[in-house]
Amino acid sequence: MNFQISKEPIDIQSVIDKVVQRNAGAITTFIGTVRELTKGKKTLFLIYDAYEAMAVKKLEQIGREIEERWEGSQVAITHRVGRLDITDIAVVIAVSTPHRADSYDANRYAIERIKEIVPIWKKEHWEDGEEWMGNQLETVAYPSGKPEEDDLNE
Amino acid sequence: MNKVMFFAHLRDAVGEEFLKLNATGKSVAELKAELGAIYNLPKLDTVMTAINEEFAQDDEVIQDGDEIAFIPPVSGG
């Protein structure tokens, strides 16, 4: 159960505990939180929705990619869904590796991949409206109907 | 029969979380175009498709019982 979608607030320590291993010299933890201001616009709260079964599979895929790319690594990711207020925790990623540099690199890789391939969406609520957000303001299009191989197997 | 699921702004546009319909034998692109026309779905060129929880190409042919999901650009994290 290293890869989960959670309707409840995420317990950071429980995610970290999943990657504790005797061969680790480092554990990095990324905590994604809900920001109030985006380009000067004030967010009141967010709703995250997921295609849960597929999202878990894609989180597992990211874990496999990391374990293949960084030897000896272990990964755990929990992503929250539902209503989140400002400062609430949206995602926690823990990566353990034998050496610290790999731990930072692999953790960064995980969050960037989440933003590419995991079917989770956020709806921003402002004082004057609400909108489902796309990948960086719809700058990414998928003409073939799916991410290119480079996106999926980088 | 097939279950076709919608998320984010597509769910708002269709007004349902999913539809049950027979898409067997159609390609992903054909089904996407058909539903796009019926429900006037916005920004379909950026929408990915999954068959049975795995990303699928537009030319993939839908089999009986396949679960289809239309996946707008994701914004998790």
Side-chain angles (χ1 to χ4, degrees):
Chain A
M1 297 288 278
N2 275 29
F3 304 93
Q4 293 188 309
I5 301 296
S6 174
K7 294 176 180 66
E8 306 300 323
I10 302 169
D11 174 25
I12 299 167
Q13 188 62 47
S14 75
V15 181
I16 296 171
D17 288 346
K18 293 174 187 171
V19 303
V20 169
Q21 52 166 328
R22 297 184 72 88
N23 285 330
I27 298 176
T28 51
T29 308
F30 174 84
I31 302 165
T33 57
V34 177
R35 180 178 57 236
E36 182 164 46
L37 290 174
T38 297
K39 293 179 179 168
K41 194 161 189 179
K42 188 173 174 179
T43 299
L44 299 179
F45 64 94
L46 299 180
I47 302 286
Y48 277 98
D49 190 21
Y51 180 11
E52 184 169 338
M54 184 174 171
V56 170
K57 282 187 178 178
K58 293 286 118 182
L59 292 175
E60 289 168 347
Q61 177 186 327
I62 293 169
R64 284 195 302 276
E65 289 173 4
I66 288 173
E67 285 165 14
E68 285 168 15
R69 195 157 158 173
W70 287 278
E71 199 179 341
S73 62
Q74 288 187 15
V75 186
I77 305 172
T78 300
H79 200 298
R80 180 91 184 271
V81 291
R83 179 189 160 128
L84 277 75
D85 293 312
I86 308 304
T87 77
D88 280 355
I89 295 169
V91 61
V92 175
I93 304 167
V95 178
S96 65
T97 58
H99 301 284
R100 66 181 180 280
D102 282 354
S103 195
Y104 278 110
D105 290 346
N107 200 306
R108 176 69 189 270
Y109 177 86
I111 186 65
E112 301 305 331
R113 290 295 274 157
I114 286 171
K115 289 172 180 293
E116 290 172 347
I117 67 164
V118 180
I120 298 173
W121 300 270
K122 73 173 170 190
K123 191 177 203 176
E124 296 241 15
H125 289 253
W126 307 290
E127 281 166 348
D128 61 349
E130 59 187 50
E131 191 176 351
W132 286 104
M133 305 309 290
N135 187 338
Q136 290 159 8
L137 306 174
E138 314 291 347
T139 53
V140 177
Y142 300 105
S144 69
K146 60 180 276 189
E148 300 301 323
E149 285 305 301
D150 283 353
D151 295 328
L152 289 172
N153 300 319
E154 181 183 5
Chain B
M1 287 298 285
N2 300 95
K3 183 179 183 183
V4 182
M5 306 174 74
F6 303 94
F7 295 94
H9 69 268
L10 295 181
R11 180 176 293 178
D12 295 342
V14 173
E16 302 280 352
E17 292 184 19
F18 64 89
L19 299 173
K20 292 272 186 146
L21 49 82
N22 185 10
T24 306
K26 289 175 184 163
S27 71
V28 163
E30 286 167 348
L31 178 64
K32 196 190 270 188
E34 199 174 286
L35 293 176
I38 293 171
Y39 293 100
N40 195 23
L41 299 180
K43 295 183 264 190
L44 268 187
D45 57 326
T46 67
V47 171
M48 296 180 280
T49 307
I51 298 180
N52 301 327
E53 302 169 4
E54 190 50 71
F55 288 112
Q57 298 280 2
D58 270 350
D59 59 3
E60 204 161 312
V61 175
I62 295 162
Q63 309 294 315
D64 188 32
D66 279 352
E67 181 177 287
I68 314 301
F70 289 119
I71 299 185
V74 302
S75 50

